[in-house]
Amino acid sequence: MNTMKKMLLIPSSALLLTAAAGSAQADSLPMDRIDDVLTHASEYGFSHYEEISIQNRGRVEVEGRLDEEWSAEVEFSLDNGETLQEQRERQSTSAWGMSEDDIRQALDVASQEGMAEFEDLDIDKTGIIDVEGRDKDGRELEISVRQGSSEVTQIERD
């Protein structure tokens, strides 16, 4: 009986590990789908964005500020905007991050540099927006842009 339990647990554990590893992989979206992402995030209440990550299975994770007092990390369905997971936290610092205009401007610059699909956008405290994605041939591309401008600070092509 004990051997039988072990035989059943090993394949089950392997299946769970495979599922967990698969859920951590990022996916990508065509550049023009940012409108869908920003619509869902705006309807939820985001005013400032710190990171937008495209997840697999049609999900997007958005981190940012809702207002001067609250930050949130929310996972949405891209299809219908349904909130799948959410976490809110009270903040003692002022709201900061990317505006919708900053995001669109950074994606425009990335598109001009050949990016066809994006995977992740984030901003650091110095105002540098990093856009990760892929070109039309599927090669990885990472572009860094100064917030509020079209100034490219770095380009990495793999």
Side-chain angles (χ1 to χ4, degrees):
M1 178 87 166
N2 203 10
T3 304
M4 182 69 120
K5 284 183 182 177
K6 286 181 185 176
M7 289 174 48
L8 290 173
L9 283 176
I10 291 171
S12 298
S13 298
L15 183 61
L16 286 173
L17 285 173
T18 302
S23 67
Q25 295 173 351
D27 205 351
S28 61
L29 276 182
M31 301 293 269
D32 61 358
R33 292 285 313 268
I34 192 63
D35 292 333
D36 297 333
V37 173
L38 292 175
T39 295
H40 298 319
S42 178
E43 287 173 355
Y44 184 86
F46 281 96
S47 63
H48 296 78
Y49 302 86
E50 295 173 27
E51 183 173 8
I52 297 174
S53 297
I54 308 306
Q55 308 296 310
N56 62 359
R57 298 188 199 111
R59 296 172 176 225
V60 63
E61 183 179 291
V62 178
E63 294 179 43
R65 295 297 286 265
L66 303 174
D67 55 31
E68 288 296 320
E69 189 175 356
W70 291 95
S71 67
E73 183 175 323
V74 182
E75 192 170 305
F76 298 102
S77 165
L78 281 169
D79 294 333
N80 58 19
E82 176 185 356
T83 300
L84 304 170
Q85 289 183 343
E86 65 185 322
Q87 179 179 349
R88 292 181 182 220
E89 188 174 316
R90 185 165 285 184
Q91 298 293 320
S92 59
T93 60
S94 297
W96 72 279
M98 300 174 281
S99 68
E100 285 190 19
D101 288 341
D102 292 331
I103 292 168
R104 291 179 198 286
Q105 186 172 30
L107 286 177
D108 284 345
V109 170
S111 182
Q112 291 169 17
E113 293 294 334
M115 190 174 290
E117 296 186 341
F118 71 98
E119 298 171 357
D120 187 80
L121 290 104
D122 63 61
I123 187 169
D124 66 19
K125 294 280 188 182
T126 67
I128 299 297
I129 300 171
D130 291 320
V131 184
E132 295 178 28
R134 300 192 176 277
D135 66 14
K136 63 181 172 76
D137 297 323
R139 292 183 305 218
E140 291 181 16
L141 184 59
E142 184 174 332
I143 298 171
S144 299
V145 180
R146 186 162 310 284
Q147 183 179 20
S149 76
S150 296
E151 178 191 346
V152 175
T153 61
Q154 184 175 348
I155 298 176
E156 291 182 31
R157 299 177 194 274
D158 292 332

